[in-house]
Amino acid sequence: MIIELTDRASAQIKEMMKEESDQAMLRFGVKGGGCSGLSYSLGFADEVNEELDIIETINGIPIVFFNQDIPIIEGTKIDYKENMMGGGFSIDNPNAIISCGCGSSFRTAQNAGAPGDC
């Protein structure tokens, strides 16, 4: 398993998928930017590039990963937390050596990315 989804995160994603097409899959990966150099990318996709992507089903949710992102995100745990201010996903990546105060930007030992606006 590339990543772990908690029960709360799985339930929230399944609820959100009800608003998407029947072919929708969760797409999780990284992109350049953010104060620390890399940012997480979490959204829905209807299409997969057979040469560049891999699909893994976790807790009944089909998740698409860009092959090159796997070493950066492997072992990551995604949770969903709610408080008085609302709810949101939290991402715990054991590969991140530096994380931004906003929690959405990070850097690994091998991947610094390109810092941008946070």
Side-chain angles (χ1 to χ4, degrees):
M1 184 169 9
I2 298 170
I3 65 168
E4 177 186 347
L5 293 176
T6 66
D7 291 340
R8 288 182 300 239
S10 296
Q12 182 63 29
I13 292 166
K14 288 176 182 176
E15 189 64 32
M16 293 168 68
M17 288 182 85
K18 291 178 182 177
E19 303 290 323
E20 301 295 322
S21 73
D22 291 341
Q23 295 81 27
M25 298 167 276
L26 182 68
R27 180 176 281 278
F28 178 64
V30 296
K31 59 185 177 180
C35 354
S36 297
L38 297 170
S39 296
Y40 296 107
S41 175
L42 185 64
F44 293 107
D46 289 328
E47 297 180 14
V48 175
N49 183 323
E50 301 281 332
E51 295 177 22
L52 302 176
D53 295 327
I54 185 169
I55 300 173
E56 187 171 285
T57 300
I58 302 172
N59 298 347
I61 300 168
I63 305 175
V64 182
F65 303 96
F66 182 50
N67 281 325
Q68 291 182 332
D69 291 347
I70 292 173
I72 299 170
I73 60 172
E74 194 162 27
T76 295
K77 180 178 180 179
I78 300 177
D79 194 9
Y80 184 80
K81 299 179 181 181
E82 288 197 43
N83 60 33
M84 292 171 47
M85 299 293 288
F89 291 99
S90 68
I91 300 172
D92 180 17
N93 184 346
N95 303 305
I97 60 169
I98 295 173
S99 292
C100 178
C102 65
S104 64
S105 180
F106 69 101
R107 178 181 303 166
T108 67
Q110 288 78 30
N111 302 88
D117 295 332
C118 194

